[in-house]
Amino acid sequence: MSAYCLATYRCFDEKADFHKKATGIAVGLTVGSWTELPEAQKAQMEKHLGKVVAVEVHEPAPGQPPSERYADIQIAYPDVNFSRDIPALLVTVFGKLSMDGKIKLIDLNFSPGFMAGFAGPKFGMQGVRDLLGVHDRPLLMSIFKSVVGYELPALREQFYLQAAGGVDLIKDDEILFENPLTPLEKRIEVCLEAAEQATKETGQKLLYAVNLTGPTFQLAEQAKKAIRAGANALLFNVLAYGFDVLQALSADPEINIPIMAHPAMAGATYPSPHYGISASVLLGKLMRLAGADLVLFPSPYGSVVMPREENLAIKQVLLTNDLHRDYAYGAASDTDLKLAASFPVPSAGIHPGLVPLILRDFGGDVVVNAGGGIHGHPLGTIAGGQAFRQAIDATLQGITLRDYANNHPELKAAIDTWGIKE
Amino acid sequence: MSAYCLATYRCFDEKADFHKKATGIAVGLTVGSWTELPEAQKAQMEKHLGKVVAVEVHEPAPGQPPSERYADIQIAYPDVNFSRDIPALLVTVFGKLSMDGKIKLIDLNFSPGFMAGFAGPKFGMQGVRDLLGVHDRPLLMSIFKSVVGYELPALREQFYLQAAGGVDLIKDDEILFENPLTPLEKRIEVCLEAAEQATKETGQKLLYAVNLTGPTFQLAEQAKKAIRAGANALLFNVLAYGFDVLQALSADPEINIPIMAHPAMAGATYPSPHYGISASVLLGKLMRLAGADLVLFPSPYGSVVMPREENLAIKQVLLTNDLHRDYAYGAASDTDLKLAASFPVPSAGIHPGLVPLILRDFGGDVVVNAGGGIHGHPLGTIAGGQAFRQAIDATLQGITLRDYANNHPELKAAIDTWGIKE
């Protein structure tokens, strides 16, 4: 009995027969031709044939231009046609088709059988919380301010100031590559030294996500080098290397530290309404399937914006156990499909005054991630971290930021600078 | 003395101060902050600072909506900031920035120093011609019609019919993955057997590009397995794996057969005017830099269309030796920057009646590539290949297809079916 992966497309066309188009996709991207096959061969080929699951045509509303006519088309692709890896799935469902007019891949549902080939995040949200020993509040992460061109002492100083403010995670800048000023192993050494110093003062653990870069075929070795140097987390520019590389790194038993997926280059793919791949697939489902323990994506609040509903769709697929979703096609599953959840990290433009909003949108299972909102604090970087922690504490206790700020000068200074958005 | 890679962006915004935005990019994606640095530190950081090379603002023409206001912004990024690999360059110039509003990466110029880290195509156009012993005409390639779900004898038969018609190259379908019916080594065996049979009849050599698929970290081994089985060319879905993987495969001395780059998934990135990466960068410059010997891209003629000027831009960068282009920034080069040319393969919707147009647009250095235009020939697949060869011969001899068809029944049947487009 066959199983199928499902792809949903949004397809714009002023006058296409979308039902015919759907059939063309289902046949063209699987067995190639169908109606002209002899009946005996049809019986044999049936299990390789794609199926049209749904075609929902949306005619333009009165006043809308004809170019707004679109259909959401869902096609089921037999698992038997492709190998159990993300490149094979993507090339099947959106290889040639991506170039066929105004068409966007808006959803992807993995069959139980396909998913069974993936272990998902090795740590996941729970594992990251366990490493940090923090289970009762959102985590706080901070980003280096300036790193390119700086030497080790400057990096160490920045690291210490962030850590001393009470953040849980610190990530490298994604544009910090192997370089003579702050090479990987030295960087890990001085940053973890700074972490240790801060931990003595704050009593708090800390993960440092060091940027994993360089030639693809050397990444696993580079990750292990980082681990030997003491690294306790990795940052990875997934889209510059491909989901399959993330999957392989995540599945490697010797790479036993969390991997944080950075969305660099994702904007080349998700924002257009007419082309590309939706954010919830690109930065959600595929990241989790490939094993990202934490996933950064543009927040709906700040400078690099993404619509709120797209953000919540990402959150939904990172956290909940329905990646495969029940569907009409294919065998029922007796596999355990509970991939660990990936920690959502909505990023960019975050300041303490946004914390109540973030927690309302994302609940407690979120990493509050800030750069300028920490380094730009008028009382300095340490106070910047403290202000965020205060904002989180206040929100969890149901106290308004303004009230809590009365006897928390760091939070007060942050609010005076950036305001509160509710 | 520093050298710089140049990135050009098209950036849409109704009211942005584009000069300010350009400065923000140049600083933000390099040293992080600038104006607030002490003078002594500025001197030290200068070599890491990005530079605004050009800002060309285009106000909307009368009658155009304000959303059509855009600027082309060119930024120079110091080589010293990133390692000599494509992921590092792309993450630097279009990592975070890709998510920053309506912005498209429309051009990329590599510094001589950056390019020096790349060997380019191992065979290139000339090398592919040498392997085939064909130097005086465009090459002809054909694509399997239906492959998924078919067994080896059917594949062999299809292969033979294509080869017997006089094509120079045959490629796997890009959606043919490792599968029990036609596994890689068996496929190579039977197809090369069919090639040999055809060669005895046509006296003509032939390359078969077998699809290289599977887990990223096993691709090099898989390629070598294919070579041991006799493979004389590889097809590779570059965008599903990343440019860096193509680069590594191409640079591997043991992978001594041409690599054909397939554009699967490229449509998720190049077609939007507002987002993504232009086709000439994605399917042109980066493919050649990474070492593709042949590059497939959607033709402007057929079903999967790309505007003609974009096609010609791809051709231009695949064939000519100006990938680095002289520019104001950085040291002059004494490196030999002549990367081999990549063979352009405009694809989709090609029939013999288009050959004069293709040769006018692309000149003689092109691979004429057809699927339906060969298999769908009314006199059969062999006649399909022959009709193309006749169309090429006619065009090179300056004879109109209609005249040549008078005593070439295969060409005549093709023209009667698909017409001539001039």
Side-chain angles (χ1 to χ4, degrees), chain B residues 72-374:
Chain B
D72 288 345
I73 294 174
Q74 191 172 42
I75 306 288
Y77 293 89
D79 282 8
V80 68
N81 289 0
F82 42 85
S83 44
R84 293 289 164 278
D85 56 84
I86 294 175
L89 179 64
L90 288 179
V91 168
T92 297
V93 308
F94 208 49
K96 203 179 287 175
L97 189 58
S98 73
M99 296 177 277
D100 192 14
K102 286 189 176 172
I103 186 164
K104 181 169 185 173
L105 177 64
I106 58 170
D107 203 5
L108 205 47
N109 289 290
F110 316 116
S111 74
F114 185 81
M115 270 187 73
F118 295 80
K122 196 181 281 169
F123 293 83
M125 189 171 62
Q126 199 53 45
V128 170
R129 285 193 173 286
D130 290 346
L131 287 174
L132 291 166
V134 177
H135 295 94
D136 53 353
R137 60 166 173 82
L139 300 183
L140 177 61
M141 176 156 117
S142 85
I143 300 175
F144 283 95
K145 187 185 175 196
S146 303
V147 289
V148 170
Y150 286 81
E151 306 204 20
L152 285 168
L155 209 71
R156 188 193 189 288
E157 171 73 3
Q158 264 197 64
F159 192 98
Y160 168 75
L161 294 175
Q162 297 173 83
V167 310
D168 303 293
L169 304 111
I170 297 176
K171 70 171 261 298
D172 263 349
D173 202 319
E174 76 281 0
I175 55 167
L176 186 62
F177 305 101
E178 203 48 1
N179 73 92
L181 297 179
T182 52
L184 183 82
E185 288 167 295
K186 287 279 176 206
R187 202 156 86 227
I188 294 169
E189 187 188 321
V190 304
C191 288
L192 291 188
E193 212 180 86
E196 209 173 311
Q197 183 190 344
T199 294
K200 277 188 193 139
E201 298 159 15
T202 63
Q204 190 184 315
K205 288 183 188 166
L206 195 142
L207 292 175
Y208 165 40
V210 67
N211 198 18
L212 181 64
T213 68
T216 307
F217 290 161
Q218 293 168 30
L219 288 172
E221 189 38 53
Q222 187 75 355
K224 289 164 198 175
K225 191 167 116 181
I227 292 169
R228 285 193 299 272
N232 53 23
L234 296 168
L235 177 71
F236 188 50
N237 290 310
V238 178
L239 299 169
Y241 289 98
F243 289 103
D244 187 65
V245 175
L246 171 60
Q247 195 273 324
L249 295 172
S250 166
D252 189 326
E254 290 178 52
I255 301 177
N256 53 359
I257 57 177
I259 302 176
M260 186 184 294
H262 195 279
M265 298 187 63
T269 306
Y270 72 74
S272 165
H274 300 127
Y275 302 101
I277 301 176
S278 71
S280 64
V281 171
L282 194 75
L283 298 174
K285 289 186 175 185
L286 290 172
M287 288 293 187
R288 184 171 170 209
L289 185 72
D293 297 293
L294 306 104
V295 180
L296 277 77
F297 50 90
S299 82
Y301 315 114
S303 49
V304 177
V305 288
M306 182 191 281
R308 187 166 169 278
E309 62 274 24
E310 264 185 88
N311 250 259
L312 297 186
I314 296 177
K315 168 203 150 190
Q316 164 79 4
V317 298
L318 291 181
L319 291 179
T320 59
N321 280 315
D322 71 342
L323 278 196
H324 62 100
R325 198 201 280 181
D326 292 334
Y327 52 79
Y329 281 92
S333 161
D334 49 7
T335 337
D336 181 3
L337 292 167
K338 291 190 168 25
L339 295 188
S342 304
F343 229 134
V345 192
S347 302
I350 308 293
H351 58 78
L354 285 168
V355 166
L357 193 56
I358 298 173
L359 268 59
R360 199 187 315 144
D361 282 348
F362 284 85
D365 287 329
V366 67
V367 178
V368 176
N369 179 28
I374 286 183

Side-chain angles (χ1 to χ4, degrees), chain A residues 281-297:
Chain A
V281 171
L282 194 75
L283 299 174
K285 290 186 175 184
L286 291 171
M287 288 293 187
R288 184 171 169 210
L289 185 71
D293 297 294
L294 306 104
V295 180
L296 277 77
F297 50 90

Side-chain angles (χ1 to χ4, degrees), chain A residues 28-33 36-37 41 44-45 48 80-83 85 87-96 98-101 103 143 145-151 173-181 213-220 237 240-245 248-249 262-273 275-277 283 297-298 303-305, chain B residues 28-33 36-37 41 44-45 48 80-83 85 87-96 98-101 103 143 145-151 173-181 213-220 237 240-245 248-249 262-273 275-277 283 297-298 303-305:
Chain A
L29 300 186
T30 59
V31 297
S33 52
E36 61 266 42
L37 291 186
Q41 209 179 349
Q44 183 201 328
M45 298 295 284
H48 296 282
V80 68
N81 290 0
F82 42 86
S83 44
D85 54 85
L89 179 64
L90 288 179
V91 168
T92 297
V93 308
F94 208 49
K96 202 179 288 175
S98 73
M99 297 176 277
D100 192 14
I103 186 164
I143 300 173
K145 188 185 175 194
S146 303
V147 289
V148 170
Y150 287 80
E151 307 205 19
D173 202 320
E174 76 282 0
I175 55 167
L176 186 63
F177 305 102
E178 204 45 3
N179 74 91
L181 297 178
T213 68
T216 307
F217 289 161
Q218 293 168 30
L219 287 172
N237 290 309
Y241 289 98
F243 289 103
D244 186 66
V245 176
L249 296 172
H262 195 279
M265 299 186 62
T269 305
Y270 72 74
S272 164
Y275 302 101
I277 301 175
L283 299 174
F297 50 90
S303 49
V304 177
V305 288
Chain B
L29 300 186
T30 58
V31 297
S33 52
E36 60 266 43
L37 291 185
Q41 210 180 348
Q44 183 203 328
M45 297 296 283
H48 296 281
V80 68
N81 289 0
F82 42 85
S83 44
D85 56 84
L89 179 64
L90 288 179
V91 168
T92 297
V93 308
F94 208 49
K96 203 179 287 175
S98 73
M99 296 177 277
D100 192 14
I103 186 164
I143 300 175
K145 187 185 175 196
S146 303
V147 289
V148 170
Y150 286 81
E151 306 204 20
D173 202 319
E174 76 281 0
I175 55 167
L176 186 62
F177 305 101
E178 203 48 1
N179 73 92
L181 297 179
T213 68
T216 307
F217 290 161
Q218 293 168 30
L219 288 172
N237 290 310
Y241 289 98
F243 289 103
D244 187 65
V245 175
L249 295 172
H262 195 279
M265 298 187 63
T269 306
Y270 72 74
S272 165
Y275 302 101
I277 301 176
L283 298 174
F297 50 90
S303 49
V304 177
V305 288

